[in-house]
Structures are given as C-alpha cells and as structure tokens.
Amino acid sequence: MRNTVLRTGGVIGVAAAAVLLASVTPAAATTAGPGEGSAYGADASVSLLSGVLGQDALSVRTGELGASNTAGPNSASAVDATLKGLVSAKAITSSANHDTASGDVTAKAELVQVALPVLAALAGRTPTASVISSQCHATAAGITGSSDLADLDLGRIGDVAAATPNLTVGIPGVLQVTADEQIHNADGSLTVNALDIKLLGGQLTGALGTGDIVLASSTCGPATAVATTPPAPGAPEVSVVPAGAPETGDGSLATVIVH
C-alpha cells in the first residue's frame, strides 16, 4: 500500500487563483468499473463575487485534494489544509482498496475540525463540524454508502443530518447544501458525498457566486467475482471382497475399485 502525504499552510492546489472565469462547471460524480474505487477530501470549483473575500471576484479550482484510488495511491492525507475563503480542515485522509480475495471494494474520505468561512455571511457565523466523512463498500450483495457529519453547525442556513441521504437545505436561488449525497452512476458505481455545497447565482441578494464545493467524497464500483476452483478428484476407494463371497465366483479374493 502506498501513502501520499500533503502538507500546506496556505491554499492547496489553487492554480491561477486570481484568474477570472466567465463560468464554473460544478464537480461531477466520479465513476468506477468493477473492482475500482476512489476517494478524496475536497474538490472546489467556484467563482465568488466581489466582497465575499474582501477583494474582486475570485475563481478557484482546486482539483481533488487528498485523493486516493484502488489503482494507487491507496491512501492519502493532508494536514492544516486551508482553501482561502472557502474551507479549512485540521486534517484530511482518504483510502481506496480492492480486496482481490473477496472481490470487495471499499473507499473512505474524512475531514477533521472543519470550518466553512465561505458560508459565514449566510449562516450568521462561520459553520463548523468536528468530522465530515463518507464511505462506500461494494460486495457481491451490492454497494452501500453512508456519511458522518459530526457536530455540523450551519447556523441560520438550516440543519441537515447524514441519517437521511440526499437531504437538502439552503436559500432558493442562492445556496443549496446536500448532506449524504448518494449518486447511483450509470455504470453501476455509487458516489457518496458527505457534503455538497452549491452556490447558485451571482445576481441575487445575498448571493456568494456560482460553483460547487464537495467535501469527503467516496466512489465504489461493483465488487468483482471471485474465481472458484473445483475440488480435485479424490483417490479411488478400494475394497477387498472376502473369499467365498458371490462376487468372486471361484472363491478367491477380489479387489473392487470404486471411483
């Protein structure tokens, strides 16, 4: 198993952060074939309005942070991860594994001590959570997934809980927050996003901008079939018929081989 460790005290993976983009495409669900899986801690693709970060409009595309894959690396982590104006976390971890013996696929992503300053203006204070995580598990019986949103506080935006998949809260036309987002992909895989934050508009009162922020994402493809080897034929059974038995005819010993 390989391990990738990322350490940063500032913006992670933000390329050309000051470049303005006319539009931002929301993050799409990751797909996976049989025996495949992946996970990542955060992925942001947003265009913020002037005033959100105290400066001109800012576009940020992070890519998948703390990403792991069944093809490798199988695990990844990041400490003191901070995306300026968007999200901060004390630690990010992820893992993705395929057990060739059982055919099972597992993937998990987790953020610890999380803050969401990008939502502070709408929430009335900076939303926080002690743990934001997701996981999925594929077996011969199917694929299941779940999320954990421990101590999540979104302030006046509303309350969401991971116990109900695809539960949403927000402000119409401005913001939509989905908890335990479960996406059944066309290829049979399952993507579980613990928290999906969509910024919906740039012209409405209270709008922050447009784009998508996904936290703790796990994807599992179907489990693989396990090849079974038929048992080797056993040694033939040998029995000896006693003298005088009808099978011998002439009264001699007879050896009978039974397969």
Side-chain angles (χ1 to χ4, degrees), residues 183-200:
I183 304 170
H184 295 270
N185 302 303
D187 62 359
S189 63
L190 174 68
T191 296
V192 183
N193 299 321
L195 209 62
D196 186 356
I197 302 167
K198 287 183 169 61
L199 309 183
L200 302 177

Side-chain angles (χ1 to χ4, degrees), residues 164-214:
T164 304
N166 301 307
L167 180 65
T168 63
V169 297
I171 302 170
V174 175
L175 173 72
Q176 176 180 291
V177 180
T178 304
D180 190 28
E181 183 178 46
Q182 300 203 12
I183 304 170
H184 295 270
N185 302 303
D187 62 359
S189 63
L190 174 68
T191 296
V192 183
N193 299 321
L195 209 62
D196 186 356
I197 302 167
K198 287 183 169 61
L199 309 183
L200 302 177
Q203 303 300 322
L204 300 173
T205 301
L208 301 177
T210 58
D212 202 5
I213 302 170
V214 175

Side-chain angles (χ1 to χ4, degrees), residues 111-116 127-132 149-153 195:
L111 296 88
V112 177
Q113 297 182 25
V114 186
L116 304 170
T128 58
S130 58
V131 174
I132 295 178
L149 300 171
D151 304 319
L152 177 64
D153 182 0
L195 209 62

Side-chain angles (χ1 to χ4, degrees), residues 21-207:
L21 302 178
S23 62
V24 176
T25 302
T30 303
T31 59
E36 298 176 346
S38 61
Y40 61 84
D43 186 7
S45 182
V46 299
S47 182
L48 301 176
L49 296 181
S50 175
V52 174
L53 298 180
Q55 55 184 311
D56 293 336
L58 177 68
S59 292
V60 178
R61 293 191 178 192
T62 67
E64 298 177 355
L65 307 181
S68 57
N69 195 290
T70 50
N74 297 122
S75 64
S77 64
V79 296
D80 295 327
T82 302
L83 283 69
K84 183 178 179 182
L86 299 178
V87 181
S88 67
K90 185 65 176 177
I92 294 175
T93 58
S94 75
S95 62
N97 294 280
H98 175 217
D99 186 338
T100 55
S102 66
D104 294 1
V105 178
T106 57
K108 182 176 182 178
E110 181 177 270
L111 296 88
V112 177
Q113 297 182 25
V114 186
L116 304 170
V118 68
L119 301 181
L122 297 178
R125 57 181 178 272
T126 299
T128 58
S130 58
V131 174
I132 295 178
S133 67
S134 73
Q135 61 182 350
C136 58
H137 187 199
T139 68
I143 310 176
T144 58
S146 62
S147 299
D148 183 16
L149 300 171
D151 304 319
L152 177 64
D153 182 0
L154 294 176
R156 61 192 182 201
I157 293 173
D159 298 322
V160 290
T164 304
N166 301 307
L167 180 65
T168 63
V169 297
I171 302 170
V174 175
L175 173 72
Q176 176 180 291
V177 180
T178 304
D180 190 28
E181 183 178 46
Q182 300 203 12
I183 304 170
H184 295 270
N185 302 303
D187 62 359
S189 63
L190 174 68
T191 296
V192 183
N193 299 321
L195 209 62
D196 186 356
I197 302 167
K198 287 183 169 61
L199 309 183
L200 302 177
Q203 303 300 322
L204 300 173
T205 301

Side-chain angles (χ1 to χ4, degrees), residues 241-252 254 256:
V241 179
E247 292 89 335
T248 63
D250 60 0
S252 62
V256 179

